[in-house]
């Protein structure tokens, strides 16, 4: 970000494998921080504004192709970009490499023991295949590696997210 375009309040991406507590952390931050922050759950935004390409019934999720040439991908970025300029945005999504570096001041990657994650995803009613894939992703640190590859490592922070005590201490 250039010197002439420094935000007064940072934009933060809270990311992690589904079930690691992104939305809970984002909402807690908005409620407890003295700065004026705005939580944007990208998954909800995609559904509300119909920014997806299709619905995958096998995975029970909306599809937004992260190919930069994809119309849905462009729509998501176009919807968010005006909000990023003033700062104070908490972007909550299971992937972070979608967001241009110029938008992001801090990337928080939430991590969770895979057995805790499995239980959380089962409680959500996820299909077994989806639980298995998300668990494998967590074990392989996929989201953390994507964050480190996409942003300056100095702005990437990894936090444990296994219970209320982690939510409050993070």
């Amino acid at each position: 970000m250039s010197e002439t375009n420094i935000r007064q309040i940072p934009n933060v991406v809270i990311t992690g494998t589904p079930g690691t507590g992104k939305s809970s952390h984002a909402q807690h931050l908005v409620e407890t921080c003295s700065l004026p922050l705005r939580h944007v759950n990208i998954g909800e935004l995609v559904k509300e504004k119909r920014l997806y390409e299709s619905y995958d019934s096998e995975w029970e999720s909306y599809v937004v192709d992260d190919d930069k040439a994809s119309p849905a991908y462009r729509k998501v970025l176009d919807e968010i970009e005006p909000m990023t300029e003033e700062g104070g945005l908490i972007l909550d999504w299971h992937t972070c490499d979608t967001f241009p570096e110029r938008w992001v001041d801090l990337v928080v990657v939430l991590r969770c023991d895979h057995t805790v994650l499995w239980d959380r995803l089962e409680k959500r009613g996820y299909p077994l295949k989806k639980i298995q894939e998300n668990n494998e992703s967590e074990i392989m640190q996929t989201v953390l590696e994507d964050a480190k590859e996409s942003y300056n490592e100095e702005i990437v922070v990894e936090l444990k997210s296994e219970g209320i005590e982690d939510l409050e201490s993070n």
Side-chain angles (χ1 to χ4, degrees):
M1 188 174 359
S2 71
E3 288 292 324
T4 59
N5 197 21
I6 295 179
R7 287 180 280 275
Q8 295 299 310
I9 303 172
N11 287 325
V12 178
V13 172
I14 297 182
T15 191
T17 304
T20 54
K22 297 175 297 296
S23 297
S24 297
H25 272 78
Q27 198 54 43
H28 182 73
L29 184 58
V30 167
E31 292 169 0
T32 59
C33 185
S34 60
L35 298 172
L37 302 175
R38 179 176 175 197
H39 173 205
V40 179
N41 180 319
I42 304 302
E44 292 299 317
L45 181 75
V46 163
K47 284 188 270 188
E48 288 170 17
K49 304 269 186 168
R50 299 179 181 262
L51 303 173
Y52 50 85
E53 295 183 43
S54 62
Y55 181 78
D56 185 326
S57 56
E58 181 183 358
W59 289 98
E60 298 181 4
S61 63
Y62 291 93
V63 177
V64 177
D65 187 350
D66 61 0
D67 175 359
K68 291 181 173 38
S70 156
Y73 176 87
R74 248 333 318 150
K75 287 180 190 174
V76 170
L77 293 183
D78 289 347
E79 188 70 32
I80 300 167
E81 186 164 23
M83 295 185 259
T84 64
E85 293 169 6
E86 62 188 77
L89 210 54
I90 308 299
L91 298 169
D92 157 10
W93 208 13
H94 63 275
T95 185
C96 63
D97 54 356
T98 302
F99 310 117
E101 284 184 80
R102 70 182 183 281
W103 292 5
V104 181
D105 302 298
L106 177 67
V107 179
V108 176
V109 181
L110 298 178
R111 301 295 315 282
C112 178
D113 180 87
H114 71 93
T115 59
V116 173
L117 182 63
W118 188 285
D119 291 342
R120 288 178 182 174
L121 298 179
E122 268 188 339
K123 287 178 186 168
R124 289 183 178 185
Y126 278 24
L128 179 59
K129 186 175 179 179
K130 191 171 181 176
I131 294 172
Q132 290 170 328
E133 182 174 285
N134 283 317
N135 251 276
E136 183 179 315
S137 177
E138 184 63 16
I139 290 166
M140 300 302 292
Q141 303 183 48
T142 304
V143 178
L144 179 62
E145 293 306 316
D146 286 349
K148 288 180 176 181
E149 289 173 10
S150 300
Y151 301 97
N152 184 328
E153 283 195 44
E154 292 176 359
I155 69 164
V156 177
V157 177
E158 176 184 2
L159 296 176
K160 181 175 142 191
S161 175
E162 295 179 2
I164 297 295
E165 61 282 349
D166 294 327
L167 175 70
E168 293 171 353
S169 68
N170 288 339

